[in-house]
Amino acid sequence: MTQQALTLSLSPSQNILTLNDGNAVQQTKKETDWIVIIATLVSILSLVISFAVAYTSNLRPANIQLCFGRNLIFFPILIDIPTNSQTIKGVGFNLPVTFYNWSPKGGTIQRIRFVIGRENHDDKFYDMTWTTFVKITSVGNFDNDNLAQPIAVKGISSVNKVIRFDWISEESNSFEVKPGKYYIIIYGWTKNTKKPSLKHKASLIIEDKHCTTFNDYVAASTSRPIWLSLDENEKPNQLLSRSAIERLYEY
């Protein structure tokens, strides 16, 4: 018996259905690939955000900055030496300083230097290291608190200190208290490096009355403080009109 081979053939409608099924599979695969890509990107972005949050919350190093108070206080230094009846003269400075750290990690102020110079005066600047921390008394004078030493500044915190700087006069480099505009600069070290990591500037004006008061204190062998305003605090209290307020302070 001769068996006839069966030949299967697809109708045109069946061919179209097969092609459509293939296109649908390819389309579904493309959509799946895009979903995988988007999910991967979201995962990477979430990982980056997690690292950024961890860094800002726990790993970011201390970022200590400083700013000045409203005033600089200066006063005569008079030290009697009994052995030869000599009096050492100089000028002391008390400067209120705020150290602040907005990083979660704490840091340390290793040392501070104070520089002061008169505007347009022979390029002469007096460079001083800190000597003591002081505190103000109930009558407005200053008493030594303790020796100046490294200051620990915790994370997300601030520390307020009144720092004393002394310039002891000698024959060739005495501090000249004269009227004029002065500039002061504070340099601070947060690490044991050669150059400072902190720097802050301010200006002040020593008037004739301040010089007269200072010389009177020296003559009387007293060491009372003289308060000087810094920067915009030099302006006295004043009665102003509304237009003057807007002109001076409004945007």
Side-chain angles (χ1 to χ4, degrees):
M1 293 178 67
T2 304
Q3 295 181 349
Q4 294 182 350
L6 294 175
T7 303
L8 298 176
S9 62
L10 297 174
S11 65
S13 61
Q14 289 176 318
N15 282 330
I16 293 172
L17 179 60
T18 303
L19 291 174
N20 288 339
D21 288 344
N23 291 336
V25 170
Q26 291 179 356
Q27 182 67 25
T28 303
K29 186 176 182 300
K30 289 181 180 179
E31 292 176 355
T32 303
D33 291 342
W34 275 110
I35 292 174
V36 171
I37 292 173
I38 292 173
T40 303
L41 291 176
V42 171
S43 299
I44 294 174
L45 181 61
S46 299
L47 186 61
V48 170
I49 293 174
S50 298
F51 275 121
V53 171
Y55 175 79
T56 55
S57 300
N58 302 298
L59 303 177
R60 186 176 60 183
N63 182 24
I64 301 176
Q65 301 296 324
L66 64 86
C67 58
F68 298 152
R70 295 180 53 195
N71 302 96
L72 173 70
I73 302 95
F74 78 108
F75 50 90
I77 296 176
L78 303 170
I79 304 174
D80 292 327
I81 302 178
T83 54
N84 56 5
S85 299
Q86 181 183 2
T87 299
I88 298 177
K89 297 180 181 180
V91 183
F93 300 89
N94 288 336
L95 179 64
V97 182
T98 296
F99 302 96
Y100 58 95
N101 175 25
W102 300 145
S103 169
K105 294 191 69 175
T108 305
I109 302 294
Q110 299 287 348
R111 62 187 187 276
I112 293 291
R113 296 197 70 88
F114 171 81
V115 176
I116 182 170
R118 188 151 57 100
E119 185 180 39
N120 301 325
H121 184 62
D122 300 329
D123 197 30
K124 183 186 293 185
F125 291 88
Y126 301 89
D127 176 23
M128 290 162 263
T129 186
W130 58 0
T131 56
T132 58
F133 300 141
V134 299
K135 56 185 178 181
I136 190 169
T137 66
S138 58
V139 295
N141 293 323
F142 289 89
D143 288 339
N144 289 334
D145 191 5
N146 52 44
L147 292 176
Q149 54 190 310
I151 303 169
V153 184
K154 297 179 180 179
I156 316 298
S157 69
S158 62
V159 177
N160 301 315
K161 291 288 185 182
V162 179
I163 306 176
R164 174 172 170 171
F165 306 89
D166 293 335
W167 184 269
I168 303 301
S169 299
E170 298 178 4
E171 293 182 359
S172 59
N173 63 352
S174 61
F175 189 95
E176 301 175 351
V177 179
K178 293 184 176 181
K181 185 173 184 178
Y182 288 74
Y183 294 102
I184 64 173
I185 309 172
I186 284 288
Y187 295 104
W189 282 258
T190 57
K191 297 180 180 179
N192 289 322
T193 55
K194 183 177 181 181
K195 294 296 182 70
S197 51
L198 303 177
K199 178 182 179 181
H200 195 70
K201 295 181 179 180
S203 64
L204 59 95
I205 295 176
I206 295 180
E207 302 178 10
D208 290 325
K209 62 180 181 181
H210 300 133
C211 298
T212 301
T213 301
F214 182 86
N215 293 327
D216 290 342
Y217 289 166
V218 172
S221 296
T222 186
S223 185
R224 297 179 61 185
I226 302 170
W227 293 67
L228 299 172
S229 298
L230 295 177
D231 291 335
E232 285 300 312
N233 294 307
E234 298 166 0
K235 291 183 179 180
N237 293 348
Q238 49 191 341
L239 181 64
L240 298 174
S241 64
R242 182 185 299 274
S243 61
I245 288 291
E246 293 176 351
R247 175 172 50 83
L248 289 172
Y249 303 122
E250 300 291 339
Y251 291 101

